[in-house]
Amino acid sequence: MSKNPLRPYPATITEVRDESVGIKTFKVVLDDEEMMKDFNQEPGQCAQLSIMGVGEAMISITSPRTRSEYLEFSIAAVGKLTDVIHELEEGDKIALRGPLGSSFPYQKMQGKDLVFIAGGIGLAPLRSLINFVFDNREDYGHVDIIYGARSPKHLCFKEELFETWPSIDDVDLYLTVDGTDEDDNWDGRTGYVPDYLKDVDPDPEGRITVTCGPPIMIKFVLEALQDMGFEDEQIITTLELNMKCGIGKCGRCNIGNKYICLDGPVFDLTEIKELPIDKEL
Ligand code: FES
């Protein structure tokens, strides 16, 4: 989009949705129509969102480029900047630069069956790829989505989980929650995502898996997939650790000799195994 990757460009918030506990989704449109048209993010890429005088943060773009009239960001209120962003309303201004980072290898996935495995807000980066796949449905095979959250109230993207995605051909959804409260009215599964993955037991033949979620969930998901016989190249994940500048300048995101912002955030297990990342996963 931008000739100067360090320069944020003005944008307008056109919609704010309460997504789940402490998480809101912001629909954002760049003020420059040409820039918006040319933004062209790939599934899995991020953008830097900023508010003058407050700060900036790298956030996954959760909308696919096939819906190019807008960008969506699902944001948890976890600090000074995100707390301020949560106060913003439709019509308010924000600045953004991007797209930044690597993308999911969606071309390599064509013709394959796909398994998406996510926990909590980890569904946000996967959602850009899931909806990209559904917008190009004939290019991809069967889709399994295994998703869990702390409780029913913590599930993100409920309209898609319960209405839109189940109505799409050749898609199976497996939802679970860690636990419930009395008022949750939940008659679905209770338990952890890696255990549900083991029960679903997808056949590695012709399949690619994509996972994102809390580090402890990713650790057990990666172990389970390897036990099932998936090769390292069939296991893809996205890491969004400690990113600030997004362009390899600040040194905030390096793990070993890699920069998450330049070499990632998307990696397959072959690449993950080369990172000194044990303390992160
Ligand atoms: S975020 Fe600054 S070097 Fe990666």
Coordinates of all heavy atoms in Angstrom, one line a residue, residues 243-246 248-251 253 259 261, ligand 1:
M243 N 5.7 -8.0 18.8 CA 6.1 -7.3 17.6 C 5.8 -5.8 17.9 O 4.8 -5.4 18.5 CB 5.3 -7.8 16.4 CG 5.8 -9.1 15.9 SD 5.2 -9.5 14.3 CE 3.7 -10.3 14.7
K244 N 6.6 -4.9 17.3 CA 6.4 -3.5 17.5 C 6.5 -2.8 16.1 O 5.5 -2.3 15.6 CB 7.4 -2.9 18.5 CG 7.2 -1.4 18.7 CD 7.8 -0.9 20.0 CE 7.6 0.6 20.2 NZ 6.3 1.0 20.2
C245 N 7.7 -2.7 15.5 CA 7.8 -1.9 14.3 C 7.2 -2.6 13.1 O 6.7 -2.0 12.2 CB 9.3 -1.6 14.0 SG 10.3 -3.0 13.5
G246 N 7.3 -4.0 13.1 CA 6.7 -4.8 12.0 C 7.6 -4.8 10.7 O 7.2 -5.4 9.7
G248 N 11.4 -5.2 10.9 CA 12.7 -5.6 11.1 C 13.7 -4.6 11.6 O 14.9 -4.7 11.5
K249 N 13.2 -3.5 12.2 CA 14.1 -2.4 12.6 C 14.3 -2.4 14.1 O 15.3 -2.0 14.6 CB 13.4 -1.0 12.2 CG 13.3 -0.8 10.7 CD 14.7 -0.5 10.1 CE 14.5 -0.2 8.7 NZ 15.7 -0.6 7.9
C250 N 13.2 -2.7 14.9 CA 13.3 -2.4 16.4 C 14.0 -3.6 17.1 O 14.4 -3.4 18.3 CB 11.9 -2.2 16.9 SG 10.9 -3.6 17.1
G251 N 14.1 -4.8 16.6 CA 14.7 -5.9 17.2 C 13.8 -6.5 18.3 O 14.3 -7.4 19.0
C253 N 11.2 -8.5 18.1 CA 10.5 -9.8 17.8 C 11.5 -10.9 17.4 O 11.0 -11.9 17.0 CB 9.5 -9.6 16.7 SG 10.2 -9.4 15.1
Y259 N 13.4 -13.0 12.6 CA 12.5 -11.9 13.0 C 11.0 -12.3 12.7 O 10.7 -12.6 11.5 CB 12.8 -10.6 12.3 CG 14.0 -9.9 12.8 CD1 15.2 -10.2 12.1 CD2 14.1 -9.1 13.9 CE1 16.4 -9.6 12.6 CE2 15.2 -8.5 14.3 CZ 16.4 -8.8 13.6 OH 17.6 -8.2 14.1
C261 N 8.4 -10.6 12.6 CA 7.8 -9.7 11.7 C 8.2 -9.8 10.2 O 7.4 -9.5 9.3 CB 7.9 -8.3 12.1 SG 9.6 -7.7 12.0
Ligands
FES1 S1 8.7 -6.0 15.2 FE1 10.5 -4.7 15.1 S2 12.0 -6.1 14.4 FE2 10.2 -7.2 14.3

